């Protein structure tokens, strides 16, 4: 099913309003969430809307959070998200980061007591709009094993860095610190196919090709796959994201990060901090060198890489290109939704007596 | 040959003095360089000393640099290294970063017009000593292909992040953004062995196992190896390091980064900025939350990961553990040097009429 972007966003906003979010927060949350669908990161878009509602149903989500600065310095802040939607808390935190950067040159905000914040790239781009380099990280519940571990101790822990250019569109890297996203396993599961080597391991830590590895006690592997191919680097990267998002913010960390709303999501055991955390940053370009000169050099960087002599039949891509190109198409032509996602949305429409008038 | 750490450091300092470095700079440079040997990162230690001297011989190295701040804000600075040793310029830049962080909460310094700075981890640890999170990045001459490229456009571009703990030793991640370091190819070359798959490609961009791939027109692969295993993430990481070290600093970038002193190292073509660049950062822990509470949580993080249920016969390692453990041994028992490195050092001793009295 192909649906209109604006209608979809309006519907999502109505759902957030239905669980008690103020209109402005609901609109913002809908904008962040649906931007994932527009950019083709379908796993992080409206497919998760029912999950956010389950968070609310289970008392983990405060629809009217009092987002507060707990501590600050000229270039830093610690923010309490008051169990709000990460989709609302993170934009507020990034606003604080860019305000700090406007005065102090950079701004860095650690967030505790939040929930899933959608796609990291959305938040990084809010700084780019202001001629700043934007950083966004968040951690997640453990699906990933450190090198040589059988235990899952890290989430897919994404990192996004957005960098402005002049004539060229911005550079936007936004990637999980794993070999592949969990969503790729789900695709193979539906097709009944095995995974390539280097994506997952089994419950004993042996390399395997089982698309259901996680359900069978196995794990996703860090970027690099195995030790011989640098998995200790992917592990280190995921660890850095976890420590900045979790330890520096006073949120939970490592194996204690609460899962995003799944059926059995309530924390049974110990918690070591407050909710889920994020880490957001903004670096004002002209706190280093004149922004125009920098952006001209970024144009040169981007053009040179895009023009690289490529492997036959391929081209060299600038981080952010594919998502931006897809966004142009989807804003115009509509957003494809899988049947189970449509069913989820219709269920929410029915529950909250909303018209599902999108097509 | 096994040599005494202090004697080796003293010898290296004498060599730097011999090319005109002031005594204090020579001592600092020697300390940074030999710390690589002590930690087992032999490729970045005294094996490169003759290279630094060649840089001087070819007029690319200023032994008495006037290191200057060109522009600054409360939490940032742009530094001109005046063609000095990166081994001296980077510690000075990190000092500026930590001074900024002491007041503004964080400090971020982009450096242009520098040279190779040794191991990134050394610089990150200078912030850790002050209860700050330390960041250090630098770019290098192109040996690495972006995903789908046949052209080498990025260096091995390392990133280091050091994070203080309390009872536990600090977390220190220090890694190149490639699947493997170039030094691992050299080891295989000496042994006449092939590389595992996923390390290098040939001149047409095909996967290969040739330890001499680079000499034959091929390239090192980004962390991830190929597209299916996330090489676009390793490419993005290397790109971020290059842009922060090169574009943000006004140094060269991408394929224009000047090579470290090799036989044919002079830039033949265009330059797009000033020398080689670095990017250094310091984040004061208590600009976010009380340092003691943070460091206690880091202890908990480290203990939990170290205690992870491991794959049979292995253990889960905290980033920085192996290098720190080796350093303890080597400071006590001496540093092993390969014959060609000893020959290089003896050559320098002879040239500068220095006693090579280390054993």
């Amino acid at each position: 099913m192909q649906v209109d972007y604006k209608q979809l966003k309006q519907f999502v906003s109505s759902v957030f309003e239905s669980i008690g979010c103020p209109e402005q927060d609901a609109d913002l949350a809908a904008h962040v969430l649906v931007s994932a669908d527009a950019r083709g990161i379908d796993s992080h878009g409206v497919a998760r809307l029912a999950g956010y509602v389950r968070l609310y149903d289970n008392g983990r989500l405060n629809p009217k959070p009092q987002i507060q600065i707990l501590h600050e310095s000229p270039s830093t802040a610690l923010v309490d998200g008051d169990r709000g939607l990460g989709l609302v808390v993170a934009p507020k935190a990034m606003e604080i980061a860019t305000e700090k950067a406007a005065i102090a040159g950079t701004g860095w905000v650690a967030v505790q007591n939040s929930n899933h914040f959608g796609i990291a790239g959305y938040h990084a781009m809010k700084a780019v709009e202001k001629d700043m380099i934007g950083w966004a990280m968040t951690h997640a519940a453990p699906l990933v094993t450190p090198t040589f571990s059988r235990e899952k101790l890290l989430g897919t822990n994404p990192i996004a860095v957005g960098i402005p250019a002049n004539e060229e569109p911005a550079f936007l890297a936004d990637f999980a610190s794993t070999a592949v996203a969990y969503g790729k396993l789900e695709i193979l599961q539906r097709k009944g196919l095995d995974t390539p080597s280097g994506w997952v391991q089994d419950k004993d830590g042996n390399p395997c090709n089982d698309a259901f590895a996680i359900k069978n006690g196995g794990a996703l592997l860090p970027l690099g796959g195995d030790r011989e191919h640098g998995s200790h680097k992917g592990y280190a990267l995921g660890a850095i994201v976890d420590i900045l998002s979790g330890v520096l913010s006073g949120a939970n960390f490592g194996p204690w990060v609460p899962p995003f709303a799944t059926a059995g999501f309530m924390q049974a055991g110990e918690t070591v901090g407050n909710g889920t955390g994020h880490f957001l940053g903004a670096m004002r370009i002209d706190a280093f060198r004149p922004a125009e000169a920098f952006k001209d050099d970024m144009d040169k960087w981007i053009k040179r890489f895009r023009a690289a002599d490529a492997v036959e039949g391929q081209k060299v891509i600038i981080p952010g290109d594919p998502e931006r190109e897809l966004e142009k198409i989807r804003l115009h032509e509509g957003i494809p939704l899988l049947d189970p996602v449509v069913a989820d949305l219709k269920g929410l429409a029915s529950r909250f007596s909303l018209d599902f008038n999108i097509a």
Side-chain angles (χ1 to χ4, degrees), chain A residues 114-310:
Chain A
S114 185
N115 282 294
H116 196 276
F117 76 7
I119 48 172
Y122 176 93
H123 307 294
M125 285 303 288
K126 298 313 283 184
V128 170
E129 291 167 10
K130 299 178 184 178
D131 276 359
M132 298 177 182
I133 294 172
W135 293 73
M137 308 176 196
T138 193
H139 56 185
L143 288 179
V144 183
T145 41
T147 303
F148 298 137
S149 174
R150 298 199 294 185
E151 277 188 280
K152 296 184 278 288
L153 296 177
L154 290 168
T156 52
N157 297 8
I159 179 166
V161 178
I163 305 175
N166 221 345
E167 291 171 12
E168 294 289 333
F171 172 108
L172 177 60
D174 180 0
F175 56 95
S177 48
T178 50
V180 291
Y182 183 67
K184 294 211 177 166
L185 296 190
E186 291 177 316
I187 293 168
L188 296 174
Q189 288 167 8
R190 279 195 292 271
K191 295 183 178 169
L193 295 174
D194 280 347
T195 72
S197 298
W199 287 16
V200 288
Q201 68 179 26
D202 70 16
K203 65 181 170 42
D204 298 317
N206 298 314
C208 75
N209 303 85
D210 175 10
F212 294 91
I214 292 176
K215 286 177 190 164
N216 295 329
L220 278 176
L221 293 171
L223 177 58
D226 59 22
R227 178 65 181 76
E228 186 171 75
H229 295 87
S231 70
H232 55 301
K233 302 176 183 194
Y235 155 39
L237 197 63
I240 293 164
V241 171
D242 185 46
I243 292 167
L244 293 176
S245 301
V247 186
L248 191 60
S249 72
N252 289 287
F253 48 81
W256 296 286
V257 178
F260 183 68
T262 55
F265 64 84
M266 290 299 287
Q267 285 294 95
E270 191 188 356
T271 62
V272 295
N274 297 321
T276 296
H278 319 305
F279 188 74
L280 299 147
M283 303 166 67
R284 181 158 51 85
I285 299 296
D286 65 9
F288 294 92
R289 60 183 291 225
E292 287 306 305
F294 171 87
K295 292 194 290 182
D296 284 346
D297 277 350
M298 275 307 296
D299 282 352
K300 191 179 283 182
W301 194 101
I302 290 169
K303 284 183 213 289
R304 179 66 184 86
F305 277 67
R306 200 173 272 143
D309 182 21

